[in-house]
Amino acid sequence: MATIIDSFLVTLESKADSAGFDLFDQLSRRFVITLGDVINLAERAAGALGRMFAPALEADVLAAKIKGFGYDVESTWKTLMDMSLQMGTPFQEALDGFTKLKAYGVDPLNGSLQMLKTITAATGGDLARTIIAYGQASAMGSLQGQEKNQFINAGVDIWGALSRYTGKKLGELQDMMRQKKITADILTSALKQEAERLKPIAHEVSQTLKAQLTNLSTIWYAARAKITQTRVWDEVTKGAISMVKSLTAVLNDTTLTAAFKKFDDVVFNTIENVKRLIYVIGDNFPLMVAIISYAVFCLKKKK
């Protein structure tokens, strides 16, 4: 909307004539700027309201995704919530991890998501990148160079985990990787063992103030998402959808363009008429003074 206001000001400036037009130009600018401020205030209010209800707006979409993957929405939601609170990690992170792992063909609730969350929570690694690395390796059937790099970039000590599980040194593991002998099963087993080793550290991290504040944020997110289960939200949503569809149809219609053009014509035709009036008065000012003076003289003479 700010762009529209700016464009209008530029158009106004291009059509403005400095001769006898400064006052009208300033008034027009002040009106447009004030209108822009009101619109921007409304936009900020709408944005704040949108952020307030964002979890509720997202909940319907996420529920549809969970249902689309063939899981029960309520039980899955609870599992992910419990997992997040246990780890002191954001709930949205668990939701994203669930959908991404499932997209790779991995069952997120068979322990894989919990395993990866434990490792990254304990080491401060990037869960999203770790899921990509694990998902790709699982889909490919073995750990390969690209996935190995993704684990490392995510902050996961993949070589250490494999070494502790297999008892082999780095050089041997690298040879196994090149020969595609670090299968998805070996990788999963190594990461499960690593998660067990790091579980006490993950628990310690979950008790920090930062983790507890994250839990508070998670609870607040879930509370706002619960709004979608009320009858009031259901009715409001139906009405809002209908209104948005109608508004979308209007905004996509050519009548809106015609309305803006008509508004533009009215505003600038008015400006041109005022300018002409100013020019007429200015050009004929001496003559008008003479006529008025003569009329006043005649009136006084009659008296």
Side-chain angles (χ1 to χ4, degrees):
M1 185 57 69
T3 304
I4 295 176
I5 298 298
D6 292 340
S7 300
F8 190 81
L9 286 172
V10 170
T11 307
L12 186 67
E13 186 174 357
S14 67
K15 294 190 178 186
D17 185 351
S18 59
F21 190 60
D22 289 342
L23 177 62
F24 197 85
D25 179 35
Q26 290 177 14
L27 290 174
S28 300
R29 282 172 171 275
R30 182 162 296 188
F31 168 75
V32 174
I33 290 171
T34 302
L35 179 62
D37 290 338
V38 171
I39 292 172
N40 288 334
L41 181 64
E43 284 183 333
R44 286 196 294 271
L49 193 63
R51 287 190 293 274
M52 172 67 188
F53 289 104
L57 297 172
E58 294 167 0
D60 289 340
V61 177
L62 294 168
K65 285 184 178 181
I66 292 171
K67 192 182 296 183
F69 283 131
Y71 292 83
D72 176 70
V73 176
E74 189 172 347
S75 62
T76 300
W77 192 280
K78 185 179 184 306
T79 299
L80 296 176
M81 175 67 69
D82 292 343
M83 189 186 302
S84 299
L85 293 174
Q86 180 188 348
M87 293 287 125
T89 53
F91 181 55
Q92 297 89 323
E93 186 180 74
L95 286 170
D96 291 342
F98 173 87
T99 55
K100 285 178 181 175
L101 276 176
K102 189 59 184 173
Y104 281 116
V106 179
D107 183 1
L109 302 184
N110 68 353
S112 57
L113 182 57
Q114 177 73 63
M115 170 186 77
L116 298 178
K117 277 183 73 67
T118 300
I119 293 171
T120 53
T123 61
D126 187 322
L127 178 63
R129 283 187 170 188
T130 303
I131 285 174
I132 292 172
Y134 181 73
Q136 287 182 348
S138 298
M140 297 294 291
S142 65
L143 179 69
Q144 298 181 31
Q146 182 179 349
E147 290 70 43
K148 175 262 297 181
N149 290 335
Q150 286 174 333
F151 272 119
I152 293 172
N153 290 333
V156 175
D157 181 17
I158 190 63
W159 290 129
L162 288 167
S163 180
R164 282 185 282 274
Y165 175 72
T166 62
K168 297 182 182 298
K169 295 182 179 180
L170 178 59
E172 296 176 282
L173 290 171
Q174 289 175 332
D175 288 339
M176 287 179 65
M177 184 184 69
R178 283 190 285 269
Q179 297 169 25
K180 297 184 180 180
K181 290 184 178 179
I182 302 179
T183 64
D185 289 339
I186 292 175
L187 177 64
T188 299
S189 297
L191 290 174
K192 279 183 180 178
Q193 181 177 290
E194 189 72 356
E196 284 298 317
R197 184 182 74 85
L198 294 173
K199 189 179 291 184
I201 299 175
H203 176 72
E204 185 178 336
V205 171
S206 71
Q207 301 307 307
T208 62
L209 178 59
K210 180 180 178 181
Q212 292 304 310
L213 289 174
T214 301
N215 284 351
L216 183 62
S217 175
T218 294
I219 292 293
W220 177 230
Y221 179 95
R224 288 180 290 163
K226 285 284 185 182
I227 296 173
T228 58
Q229 297 179 7
T230 63
R231 287 177 295 174
V232 172
W233 178 264
D234 187 50
E235 291 303 317
V236 168
T237 299
K238 288 177 183 176
I241 290 173
S242 176
M243 183 183 70
V244 170
K245 283 183 176 179
S246 300
L247 184 60
T248 302
V250 171
L251 291 174
N252 284 331
D253 199 343
T254 53
T255 54
L256 186 66
T257 304
F260 274 123
K261 185 179 184 305
K262 185 172 289 188
F263 172 76
D264 183 74
D265 290 342
V266 168
V267 171
F268 287 108
N269 284 339
T270 303
I271 292 173
E272 289 299 320
N273 290 334
V274 172
K275 285 171 60 179
R276 289 192 187 98
L277 179 61
I278 292 172
Y279 294 154
V280 169
I281 293 173
D283 293 344
N284 298 283
F285 186 74
L287 178 60
M288 291 176 68
V289 170
I291 292 172
I292 293 171
S293 300
Y294 179 73
V296 171
F297 173 77
C298 291
L299 287 171
K300 285 183 176 180
K301 193 173 182 181
K302 284 182 180 181
K303 290 181 180 180

